Amino acid sequence: MTKDKKMIKKDILDKFRSINAENHHALPPKWLDSDYFESLNWEEKLIFKQAVKELISTGIVESVQGSELNLKLTQKGSDLIYCCP
């Protein structure tokens, strides 16, 4: 089953939750690149780029050093995923 944009966004935010990014706000270096992005098929990789752009445009995450494969949780994103169960 091909992942849609909503599923990809959820995967990214779930990773932030799983590492308790509330304390340091950034995904482990290269996690998106070597673990997640490489596991996607070519169609999902195209959707991934759109999903990340939407997360950035809504202010939930920001890119680190201009890379969509290196993301940091914003305060808004932290409030969103840690505020309510």
Side-chain angles (χ1 to χ4, degrees), residues 12-43:
I12 292 169
L13 295 178
D14 283 348
K15 182 62 176 179
F16 277 110
R17 281 185 196 95
S18 74
I19 62 166
N20 194 16
E22 184 175 22
N23 296 325
H24 51 280
H25 299 292
L27 289 177
K30 303 292 182 188
W31 174 80
L32 277 173
D33 185 25
S34 61
D35 292 343
Y36 188 73
F37 188 75
E38 288 304 315
S39 72
L40 302 175
N41 66 37
W42 69 270
E43 186 179 349

